Amino acid sequence: MTAHEGAHEGLRADRVRVTGPSGRVVLDGPGVHAAPGRVLALTGPSGSGKTTLLRALLGCLPPGLRRTAGAVRWRGRPVPTGRAGRRWRLTQVGWLAQDPASTLDPWRSVLDQVAEALTDRGATGTAARAGAAALLERLGLDPALHARTPGRLSGGQAQRAALARALAGDPPLLVLDEPTSGLDPDSAGLAAEAVRRRRGDPSRVTVLVSHDLRLVEDLADDVTQIGAVAPPPVPATAPRPAGTPAVLTVRGLVLDHPAGGPPLLTADLTVHAGELVALLGPSGSGKSTLLRALAGLHPPAAGTMVLSAAGTTGPLPHLASERGHAQLRRVQLVGQNPRDELNPAHRAVTAVARPLRTLAGLGRAPARARALRLLADLGVDAEHAERRPGRLSGGQRQRVAVARAVAPGAAVLLADEITSALDAATATRLLDVLDRLRADGLAVLLSTHDPGVAARADRVLRLSAGALHEQDVSAHP
Amino acid sequence: MNRVSLAFAFVVVAVTLLGPALAPYDPAAPVTAPWQASSVGHPLGGDVLGRDVLSRLLAGGRRLLVLSLVAAAAATLVGTLGGLAAGWGGSRVLAAGADLLLAVPVLLPALVLAVSLPGDAAVVAATVVAGAPLTLGVVRDATAGARERGYVRAARLRGERTLAVLLREVLPAVAGVPAADLGLRFVTALQLASALAVLGLTDAPATGDWAAMLRENLAGAALNPAALAAPALLLAMLSLSVAAAAHAGLRHAFGTGDAS
Amino acid sequence: MRLSAPAGLSRAVLAPLRAVVLLAVVSVAVFAATELLPGDAADAVGAGRASAAQLAGLRAERGLDRPGWERWASWASALLHGDAGRSLLTGRPVVDVIGGRLPATAVLAGSAFALTAPLVLLGCVLAGRRALRRPGDAGGGLATALTAVPQVVVAAALAALLSGVLRWVPPVSLLPPGGGPPDPSILVLPVLTLALPSAAFGVALLGGVVADALRRPYVTDALVRGVPAGRVLRRHVLPVLAAPALRVLAVVVGGLAAGGALVETVFGYAGAGELLVSSVAARDTPVVQLLGLGSATAVLAVLLLADLVPVRS
């Protein structure tokens, strides 16, 4: 094959195998061919080794990893290694990493950094600076911003500066790692535009990694799949109790923003016995703060809460420190991080027995016996109940945390993303546990960002722009 | 590594505490020629006054060890209580002077204190003065971290008092930190105690003292190197093993958060 | 280096202010530790022979019966005017007593520093290489471990080896009686004993900073993009290290000051450190006060420099 023929090859790799320090195979990749003038997309689930494959293609695997099979050729010649490889990447390859803003030197102006990349690809002195300024401006960065360091730009602006550095000098090979997940929508649009321009130019090869199927469909000429495709989990249907009484009624609740300004959110909501209410909303919308406020851990600016549970009916004080034992035992919260929920020094059964003693007034032995029974009900056997959380799985820890919360007789369980750190199967089992407890009348208010979890709920409340909206009112007339 | 160093430290401590009973000769009485080289009866030879080095080695660790342990325990206790309070209250106390405390070696305050205090008291006081703030810092960070954890929140939601939360939830959860820190404070105190003994600012017992042995036998290094090397080796190994265990403990306490 | 004006200005004002406050705190601590604890200068001068009445007279004469803060204030203001009092032992002005010892200590500390600096540099280069090759490895274990070894052990081991076994250098470092430059051979043991622990401490502190700097995403990304290692080091890594390096320098200065006291005494080298220890033994409070405060001031001065350099964390 002559060099001229090789130019039609673009970037081609046989099945690439990457092994770790102990000889463990980290990646058994597919054959890859990125043709001139075309855009190749590598897709696959997270953890399938997409970034590792990219690094293997560029000949710069992270320390400890080695490519043990599969030759990589660029325009018909093996991708160089060592010093020649660095030189090749510097002059021929534009690279945009995940979280591109963090790859900018925080202490140098973005103009300097883009001009440096242009200089590396053949421009000189003033031409490089002028070219860099023009490129930054084309990506929507006002000239007044060019002298700023990345820290003094917005996140999106910094991402565009990093994109400009990758595009500088229109490199023969452009490699983008997850350009949409790390970029805000505007920057992602600009990145897509830049990729589109390269299509059809036979001297340009583009490779991108993404799990964003829309982007892949939009941009890619060829798609290579890495790893197996997992089927989406099938949501189970939950029992839907009808006409149960309200246990927690909240009216006119106002939560202030910690930084001041307009309130974070205002909310009216009612939770009925035995129902599962899902609380949806983008991150930062205040889901956790709302749950913490209901639990009495975050003082609201205004509003009333009324609790109607066996033995205690009436207004609920705002702060947990002002609530009596009868009220505390009825409203309990479980958080999202299984590592944090349980005290590493206490055994599971001790953790569950403690509130039975302090809130339900049981003696040491009865509290322990009831804790063991409850844990067994929730699928934590006696052997695991004697373990400390360090020797329990994430799902087991969350079940222990739920047991600790409901043990003293909770009427309302505030569950803050309790499934988010668990895999799909474990999360489903945890929700099954909640279903069992709901059959006895426990009301659950569950914040989540997972539509699959929300699908099991009786009702869905959506939190957006500081207000709660009922998404499906038909379940409860 | 951690297990080995801990095991070694325990052996040294046990031998030190039992040592005086095991000594083959009277550690205070001359039984050989000065700096006599090692022989069958005296495997480590004699020291500056012809006393048996092995016997002095066995007898000479107790004072140093007990003094260092007392000093370290005092520093860790003060620092842990302060750190619990500071971490719970969200205080940034001591941030301004922390780098000065780190930069000034503990020997300087110890020397200044030794003007008006007996040597042993100066060791304890300097270890507390210079070491407790460091303990306070790490315990404060660990406490501040634990404060936001689910188990502390759960305790507040069952109406436990602050003191109960601190002692029942926070302290057991962060206990690895002061435990490991005790090791570091012990190493500092040992360095300090041996330095002051070498400088002649503490009253070494007649039966010997590893650090004082270093000074006594420095001039005889050529005649009986063992008289110098044996206490040096013991001091070095003890410090190294305790420090290694302490560092491993701190990494564990801050690294995984799991203490199973 | 680009820095917004208010931040730079406040740093230039706040850092010296903080240093002055810390110096005042240190002076209070030094004064309190030497004067206010039981066993005051009158006890030392009286040495158990004086009667209670004589001691009271002595206390009144020296102003020891006044409240502590008053005595501190007059001591501090005299110090500010260059009057550190007289040695209780010899009656000579403290400044002269210490000044006579400084040249010898400067030679020793200077030589030790000249050895420490390249050792720390070497250790940091090794730590950096390790960080690049094994990103998950914390590193710095050896240097950290070595800081645990008591300095007296280092002194004994070096003396046993170099003087005892190899007989290269004398075991004691006596200065020539008439003054003049010391024979270099007598410096070998004290310089090594000072420099090796200081270097271990320096590497233990700075090596981790170097490794962290090399693991920053913009550094690893620059290496992926093919930017030459020399340029990465010059542009992205070295500027980050300026402030931490100065802080480590302060630690090294403190280590040399404290280590000097030990090393000079052990090897019989008549410098300021030996003076500190003998003054402590003789309870010569004014000398101890000035030496203690002076050492702390040296450390504070370097910390002030570190404060003035913008932190890039």
Side-chain angles (χ1 to χ4, degrees):
Chain A
M1 185 189 296
T2 67
H4 180 74
E5 281 170 37
H8 298 298
E9 281 286 294
L11 184 72
R12 185 186 275 280
D14 307 331
R15 297 184 65 87
V16 173
R17 173 177 295 169
V18 176
T19 50
S22 54
R24 188 175 58 92
V25 175
V26 175
L27 170 74
D28 224 340
V32 171
H33 181 211
R38 294 173 73 85
V39 176
L40 170 70
L42 303 172
T43 67
S46 62
S48 58
K50 300 190 291 286
T51 299
T52 305
L53 177 59
L54 277 190
R55 298 281 294 263
L57 293 178
L58 295 181
C60 57
L61 281 164
L65 298 185
R66 278 181 317 124
R67 178 167 57 85
T68 44
V72 185
R73 301 173 81 81
W74 166 246
R75 293 185 170 166
R77 298 167 190 276
V79 163
T81 56
R83 189 182 290 271
R86 285 201 294 274
R87 176 110 204 110
W88 172 72
R89 296 198 300 273
L90 192 64
T91 56
Q92 308 284 306
V93 182
W95 158 257
L96 187 72
Q98 290 185 36
D99 188 13
S102 74
T103 66
L104 293 168
D105 185 334
W107 310 104
R108 298 179 62 218
S109 77
V110 290
L111 183 70
D112 280 358
Q113 300 190 50
V114 178
E116 183 187 326
L118 268 173
T119 313
D120 289 331
R121 292 173 195 152
T124 50
T126 48
R129 293 189 76 80
L135 184 54
L136 282 169
E137 218 174 331
R138 204 182 87 207
L139 292 174
L141 238 63
D142 192 80
L145 303 175
H146 293 181
R148 291 198 182 177
T149 55
R152 296 176 58 227
L153 297 173
S154 75
Q157 287 164 343
Q159 289 164 1
R160 273 173 263 167
L163 180 61
R165 186 178 60 186
L167 297 175
D170 205 1
L173 176 60
L174 179 65
V175 180
L176 308 160
D177 191 1
E178 298 279 8
T180 51
S181 67
L183 298 175
D184 67 16
D186 290 350
S187 307
L190 288 162
E193 182 54 40
V195 170
R196 223 171 269 126
R197 279 177 184 227
R198 294 168 62 91
R199 284 168 104 169
D201 180 342
S203 62
R204 301 286 177 259
V205 177
T206 309
V207 179
L208 64 88
V209 155
S210 183
H211 63 251
D212 180 346
L213 293 178
R214 242 186 29 228
L215 178 90
V216 168
E217 214 165 274
D218 179 27
L219 283 182
D221 301 298
D222 309 295
V223 178
T224 298
Q225 176 78 32
I226 307 168
V229 190
V234 183
T237 45
R240 285 168 186 262
T244 52
V247 277
L248 183 64
T249 312
V250 177
R251 290 289 168 261
L253 190 75
V254 179
L255 298 181
D256 277 339
H257 211 281
L264 179 66
L265 63 91
T266 56
D268 289 282
L269 72 112
T270 307
V271 183
H272 301 84
E275 72 175 343
L276 174 64
V277 180
L279 183 61
L280 285 172
S283 60
S285 61
K287 297 191 297 287
S288 291
T289 316
L290 175 58
L291 293 182
R292 285 174 57 83
L294 298 180
L297 297 169
H298 180 98
T304 59
M305 304 182 220
V306 177
L307 180 66
S308 325
T312 168
T313 300
L316 193 60
H318 282 173
L319 287 177
S321 52
E322 295 162 1
R323 295 181 183 174
H325 279 186
Q327 291 164 323
L328 284 172
R329 61 191 287 200
R330 298 299 183 201
V331 183
Q332 285 285 330
L333 178 77
V334 177
Q336 58 179 302
N337 189 345
R339 302 187 77 89
D340 282 6
E341 280 304 302
L342 301 178
N343 194 324
H346 294 326
R347 298 175 195 281
V349 59
T350 317
V352 179
R354 181 73 184 170
L356 284 168
R357 300 189 63 202
T358 59
L359 287 180
L362 294 186
R364 183 182 292 270
R368 203 183 132 80
R370 192 186 298 178
L372 282 172
R373 225 167 30 240
L374 179 60
L375 281 169
D377 279 352
L378 300 190
V380 180
D381 60 34
E383 189 213 328
H384 287 89
E386 293 294 344
R387 292 188 180 178
R388 294 197 173 84
R391 292 177 55 221
L392 295 173
S393 70
Q396 285 166 335
R397 292 186 209 181
Q398 286 299 69
R399 269 179 271 165
V400 174
V402 166
R404 181 183 62 192
V406 302
V412 182
L413 182 68
L414 306 162
D416 188 6
E417 306 247 10
I418 57 169
T419 56
S420 66
L422 307 176
D423 64 62
T426 313
T428 304
R429 275 204 297 280
L430 185 62
L431 292 172
D432 292 344
V433 164
L434 290 185
D435 284 348
R436 218 169 308 151
L437 294 166
R438 286 165 51 208
D440 298 336
L442 178 72
V444 181
L445 181 57
L446 171 74
S447 77
T448 181
H449 58 255
D450 183 349
V453 173
R456 297 180 57 143
D458 302 318
R459 288 190 295 142
V460 173
L461 298 175
R462 190 172 285 277
L463 190 56
S464 66
L468 265 184
H469 306 281
E470 186 100 2
Q471 192 160 302
D472 176 14
V473 285
S474 62
H476 265 272
Chain B
M1 173 66 192
N2 191 9
R3 294 253 164 83
V4 173
S5 48
L6 258 186
F8 181 84
F10 273 120
V11 169
V12 171
V13 170
V15 168
T16 309
L17 296 182
L18 297 175
L22 303 175
Y25 296 92
D26 177 359
V31 289
T32 70
W35 286 320
Q36 182 192 299
S38 71
S39 61
V40 178
H42 307 282
L44 294 177
D47 80 344
V48 56
L49 297 179
R51 297 168 295 198
D52 181 52
V53 170
L54 178 63
S55 301
R56 286 178 73 74
L57 206 61
L58 286 167
R62 189 184 276 183
R63 195 194 69 88
L64 214 53
L65 217 64
V66 170
L67 174 61
S68 305
L69 271 176
V70 167
T76 301
L77 183 69
V78 172
T80 302
L81 293 179
L84 280 175
W88 188 258
S91 157
R92 294 307 303 163
V93 63
L94 288 173
D99 46 359
L100 183 68
L101 276 170
L102 183 69
V104 174
V106 64
L107 181 57
L108 275 182
L111 285 175
V112 172
L113 281 164
V115 172
S116 47
L117 290 177
D120 289 356
V123 169
V124 176
T127 306
V128 173
V129 166
L134 302 177
T135 310
L136 194 156
V138 289
V139 174
R140 177 192 57 206
D141 291 349
T143 304
R147 203 189 137 86
E148 301 305 322
R149 300 293 167 109
Y151 50 85
V152 169
R153 189 205 57 224
R156 288 169 68 194
L157 279 185
R158 55 177 184 258
E160 307 238 13
R161 294 177 192 286
T162 301
L163 193 64
V165 177
L166 275 176
L167 294 183
R168 205 185 165 277
E169 299 290 337
V170 177
L171 188 58
V174 306
V177 175
D181 188 77
L182 180 68
L184 295 184
R185 299 287 80 80
F186 174 79
V187 171
T188 313
L190 189 64
Q191 292 178 336
L192 200 52
S194 45
L196 258 60
V198 164
L199 295 179
L201 296 175
T202 52
D203 305 320
T207 51
D209 177 315
W210 293 344
M213 286 171 80
L214 294 179
R215 182 178 205 187
E216 293 162 0
N217 297 317
L218 197 59
L223 296 170
N224 182 13
L228 196 55
L233 200 66
L234 264 179
L235 271 175
M237 295 296 280
L238 182 60
S239 316
L240 279 171
S241 56
V242 173
H247 282 296
L250 274 182
R251 269 198 303 279
H252 182 75
F254 276 107
T256 64
D258 288 345
S260 49
Chain C
M1 262 317 152
R2 204 167 278 118
L3 191 70
S4 64
L9 194 66
S10 70
R11 199 197 313 282
V13 176
L14 280 180
L17 195 68
R18 177 175 162 263
V20 169
V21 170
L22 276 178
L23 187 60
V25 171
V26 169
S27 79
V28 170
V30 166
F31 189 80
T34 50
E35 294 268 354
L36 302 181
L37 291 169
D40 63 19
D43 284 334
V45 174
R49 290 182 301 274
S51 70
Q54 280 172 313
L55 279 182
L58 208 53
R59 287 201 175 95
E61 181 194 320
R62 290 171 180 274
L64 295 178
D65 51 351
R66 288 182 297 151
W69 69 268
E70 242 181 75
R71 286 160 53 205
W72 171 78
S74 56
W75 172 69
S77 85
L79 262 189
L80 286 177
H81 291 95
D83 173 18
R86 288 173 177 274
S87 160
L88 300 181
L89 208 61
T90 62
R92 289 172 60 212
V94 169
V95 176
D96 293 353
V97 173
I98 295 175
R101 297 292 190 103
L102 281 183
T105 290
V107 169
L108 180 56
S111 319
F113 184 75
L115 182 58
T116 303
L119 282 176
V120 171
L121 211 61
L122 180 69
C124 288
V125 169
L126 293 178
R129 288 171 61 119
R130 192 184 168 90
L132 284 181
R133 297 205 173 141
R134 299 188 205 169
D137 191 334
L142 182 65
T144 309
L146 288 180
T147 59
V149 179
Q151 201 159 18
V152 288
V153 169
V154 178
L158 285 172
L161 181 70
L162 298 183
S163 169
V165 178
L166 300 172
R167 301 184 190 236
W168 287 350
V169 292
V172 287
S173 310
L174 297 177
L175 285 169
D183 179 18
S185 72
I186 69 160
L187 283 176
V188 171
L189 276 179
V191 164
L192 282 176
T193 309
L194 267 183
L196 295 181
S198 294
F201 216 164
V203 174
L205 292 173
L206 201 55
V209 180
V210 171
D212 282 348
L214 288 173
R215 292 192 191 110
R216 296 189 179 196
Y218 58 89
V219 172
T220 51
D221 189 71
L223 294 172
V224 170
R225 293 200 313 274
V227 179
R231 200 205 292 171
V232 173
L233 204 63
R234 205 170 58 245
R235 288 230 171 111
H236 302 313
V237 179
L238 290 182
V240 174
L241 298 181
L246 279 170
R247 276 174 211 286
V248 170
L249 178 66
V251 172
V252 169
V253 168
L256 293 181
L262 186 81
V263 169
E264 288 181 6
T265 309
V266 168
F267 294 114
Y269 183 90
E274 197 273 334
L275 175 67
L276 174 60
V277 173
S278 59
S279 302
V280 167
R283 302 211 159 181
D284 195 347
T285 311
V287 177
V288 175
Q289 285 171 338
L290 190 62
L291 280 170
L293 196 57
S295 311
T297 309
V299 173
L300 265 176
V302 187
L303 284 177
L304 173 61
L305 276 183
D307 273 353
L308 290 171
V309 173
V311 181
R312 296 182 159 193
S313 56

